[in-house]
Amino acid sequence: MDLIIENIPFLLKGAYYTLLITVVSMFFGLIIGLLAAIARIKGNRFLRNIARVYVSIIRGTPPLVQIVIVYYGLVDYGIELGPLTAAYIALSINIGAYVSEAFRGAIQSVPKGQTEAALATGMTEKQAMRRIIIPQAIRYAIPPLGNTFVGMLKETSLVSVIAVTELMRSAQLLVAQYYVYMPFYLSIGIMYWGMSTFFTFILNKVEKRLSVY
Amino acid sequence: MIEIEQLYKNYDSHEVLKNLTLSIPAHQVVAVIGPSGSGKSTFLRCINGLEKITQGKISVNGHVIDAKASKKELQKTIYAIRQETGMVFQQFNLYPHKTVIENVMEALIVVKKLPKAKAHKIASDLLERVGLSDKENSYPSQISGGQQQRVAIARALAMEPQLMLFDEPTSALDPELVGEVLKVMKDLAEEGMTMIIVTHEMNFAKNVANRILFMADGVIVEDAEPKAFFEHPQTARAQQFLHQVSEF
């Protein structure tokens, strides 16, 4: 126990990076995902196919493979990324695919009459999308996006393999230093659990808040 | 105001509208009636471009939808027509995430680019006209169906249309709420609005419309004044229909 208390600041720093990576990747993932979803629903054939192939590749390959391709693979082409940058890029691209599926489902759950009503008042397709459809779709998208977010929080542990000292790697470093496993792995387990529970709680609140109309 | 020439509409191989030709002058109130599946709604939706026509031409206020025009040209005309045409739907289709007044203001802000204060004034006046001043800040889910449909009418009127299309505006309403919506429509007709109304409300068609289009199987079977149509339907198809709706 003393060992853990002594190393709490170190673990907290790891937790900070875990959160940072989650939030940054989620932010860019949301943008990528929204664009991909719109491309799949409203794009021409070319854009639709690009988006479809993107989603298919990302969902069909392990995130660990995606991470090592971005960090180690790109070096072969002279692109050397810092570990943290590589983590952001790999995870944003990864999460974008899942977000796009969540958005696509949500956009399609908005009744067709909404688009028609907007068009009938003289809006363009784009205006109808931006003003009428997307604001409603976001409400439908919150539950699946929340799951994606919490999933991402846990998935960040994978970037420990490219030497990003987030929570997982912090524990590994401590294990290497003290030669004891359980206390450290157990503590980070509890920390992951705490963070997941906290965000799930927040998301439930958001969901309730948005469903007032 | 509206000229329709040899209009055809197919869904795949199924012909929904077959060779419609007619013209509708300004200030006319036209009730389109007929059995379900006869193409009434499709006809209405072709006029403001919610349905793509297969063949023929529709001219609204000088803007011509030509089935043969390029996609870009079509888009432009349809956009122009929609600016001058209001539409009211069976399911109201109010924006659930916006308040009543925001529903009415939306197109004024987005399409007409009016400043918010001005849009608010126009919307507020329109809501007063349909008797819903006290519901400005309610959400659609908090008001009755009849009130929702009146908001939808106000929303359509906000763009100062010269033509109003009604697609079964009272079909989704509880019987006791139908009257308040018809009342608003009647007022509108008396003010001289050009209206095309797809409806099952025979009494309303008889009393408010000045022209009846009876459609069956994608064609206009009868085109007559209400009195003539209801008292002396010419075709067997119309006689049968009127007999069926008057049963019980």
Side-chain angles (χ1 to χ4, degrees):
Chain A
M1 199 63 204
D2 289 347
L3 222 50
I4 294 167
I5 291 166
E6 199 178 309
N7 287 296
I8 273 282
F10 188 68
L11 286 176
L12 282 178
K13 198 164 170 224
Y16 163 74
Y17 275 103
T18 289
L19 275 178
L20 183 69
I21 297 164
T22 309
V23 170
V24 171
S25 310
M26 193 69 196
F27 176 74
F28 288 108
L30 280 171
I31 296 172
I32 297 171
L34 185 58
L35 292 178
I38 292 173
R40 280 193 79 169
I41 293 175
K42 296 279 169 190
N44 57 27
R45 205 151 116 204
F46 177 70
L47 283 177
R48 256 191 347 251
N49 280 327
I50 289 199
R52 187 156 57 216
V53 170
Y54 157 63
V55 171
S56 163
I57 289 176
I58 297 302
R59 296 214 302 174
T61 53
L64 188 54
V65 173
Q66 295 159 13
I67 291 164
V68 295
I69 284 177
V70 171
Y71 185 62
Y72 295 111
L74 290 181
V75 175
D76 291 355
Y77 301 94
I79 304 170
E80 281 190 54
L81 300 168
L84 200 55
T85 314
Y88 290 150
I89 292 175
L91 292 180
S92 300
I93 292 174
N94 173 277
I95 204 166
Y98 292 91
V99 168
S100 114
E101 286 299 278
F103 271 132
R104 196 165 69 101
I107 288 173
Q108 283 169 343
S109 352
V110 178
K112 228 175 120 228
Q114 291 290 312
T115 310
E116 291 184 347
L119 294 180
T121 59
M123 286 191 213
T124 61
E125 290 256 356
K126 234 188 224 154
Q127 289 169 332
M129 197 64 170
R130 214 184 55 229
R131 302 279 308 192
I132 306 302
I133 306 307
I134 289 179
Q136 292 183 61
I138 285 174
R139 288 159 160 92
Y140 290 113
I142 293 286
L145 285 182
N147 292 338
T148 309
F149 183 82
V150 173
M152 172 90 311
L153 183 78
K154 292 178 284 179
E155 224 164 72
T156 52
S157 59
L158 292 172
V159 301
S160 57
V161 299
I162 57 170
V164 176
T165 312
E166 38 63 76
L167 197 49
M168 179 69 194
R169 192 166 144 85
S170 308
Q172 286 168 342
L173 291 175
L174 291 174
V175 166
Q177 191 181 343
Y178 295 100
Y179 299 104
V180 283
Y181 293 83
M182 201 49 153
F184 296 122
Y185 285 145
L186 208 57
S187 354
I188 65 162
I190 290 168
M191 287 166 84
Y192 276 118
W193 181 51
M195 289 191 281
S196 302
T197 317
F198 175 71
F199 284 114
T200 310
F201 172 76
I202 297 281
L203 284 161
N204 284 338
K205 285 258 176 219
V206 172
E207 213 178 305
K208 270 218 185 90
R209 190 75 176 271
L210 284 179
S211 63
V212 283
Y213 70 77
Chain B
M1 172 164 202
I2 303 177
E3 301 286 339
I4 294 168
E5 277 172 56
Q6 294 168 358
L7 167 66
Y8 286 84
K9 166 72 188 172
N10 299 357
Y11 286 119
D12 299 319
S13 63
H14 178 60
E15 282 193 329
V16 186
L17 298 176
K18 302 169 203 165
N19 197 9
L20 304 190
T21 299
L22 72 149
S23 76
I24 296 171
H27 312 302
Q28 196 164 56
V29 177
V30 181
V32 185
I33 62 177
S36 54
S38 57
K40 307 179 301 275
S41 288
T42 308
F43 166 64
L44 199 69
R45 292 160 58 86
C46 285
I47 296 173
N48 71 346
L50 286 182
E51 298 286 346
K52 199 168 164 278
I53 65 174
T54 312
Q55 242 187 77
K57 279 184 195 170
I58 302 176
S59 158
V60 182
N61 244 353
H63 308 290
V64 184
I65 305 178
D66 186 335
K68 289 195 283 275
S70 72
K71 206 174 161 184
K72 215 174 161 186
E73 253 175 278
L74 268 178
Q75 192 113 42
K76 230 176 118 188
T77 12
I78 286 171
Y79 187 62
I81 290 173
R82 285 174 181 162
Q83 309 263 329
E84 297 166 15
T85 307
M87 186 166 195
V88 173
F89 300 85
Q90 181 176 0
Q91 298 296 339
F92 329 134
N93 297 347
L94 291 183
Y95 312 133
H97 60 304
K98 295 187 178 287
T99 62
V100 162
I101 193 149
E102 285 169 348
N103 264 274
V104 183
M105 289 163 64
E106 185 67 11
L108 292 171
I109 292 170
V110 179
V111 182
K112 280 205 174 160
K113 316 272 185 217
L114 291 187
K116 227 175 170 175
K118 203 163 174 202
H120 192 279
K121 174 82 175 65
I122 295 173
S124 188
D125 290 348
L126 278 167
L127 287 172
E128 195 184 330
R129 191 163 144 199
V130 299
L132 289 172
S133 288
D134 55 331
K135 299 289 180 192
E136 280 187 5
N137 297 315
S138 304
Y139 281 91
S141 60
Q142 297 166 331
I143 59 178
S144 75
Q147 291 170 332
Q148 287 187 53
Q149 195 61 301
R150 280 146 64 198
V151 175
I153 294 174
R155 176 176 69 178
L157 289 175
M159 294 295 285
E160 296 186 314
Q162 300 175 38
L163 165 69
M164 285 283 284
L165 307 174
F166 292 86
D167 190 2
E168 302 197 21
T170 56
S171 299
L173 294 175
D174 289 337
E176 77 273 20
L177 302 176
V178 169
E180 60 187 78
V181 173
L182 293 182
K183 166 81 173 58
V184 171
M185 291 168 62
K186 188 165 175 247
D187 292 347
L188 208 53
E190 280 164 3
E191 286 162 31
M193 177 65 79
T194 312
M195 297 162 72
I196 307 178
I197 307 157
V198 172
T199 186
H200 294 296
E201 298 291 334
M202 294 304 146
N203 281 324
F204 182 77
K206 203 186 295 182
N207 298 324
V208 178
N210 10 78
R211 180 177 177 186
I212 305 287
L213 294 180
F214 175 72
M215 286 183 73
D217 301 321
V219 291
I220 295 173
V221 181
E222 295 205 20
D223 178 352
E225 296 211 340
K227 198 165 143 67
F229 175 78
F230 285 103
E231 287 173 16
H232 308 287
Q234 300 295 309
T235 58
R237 195 75 186 77
Q239 285 159 10
Q240 186 199 354
F241 175 77
L242 286 176
H243 181 70
Q244 277 165 348
V245 294
S246 65
E247 246 172 41
F248 303 111

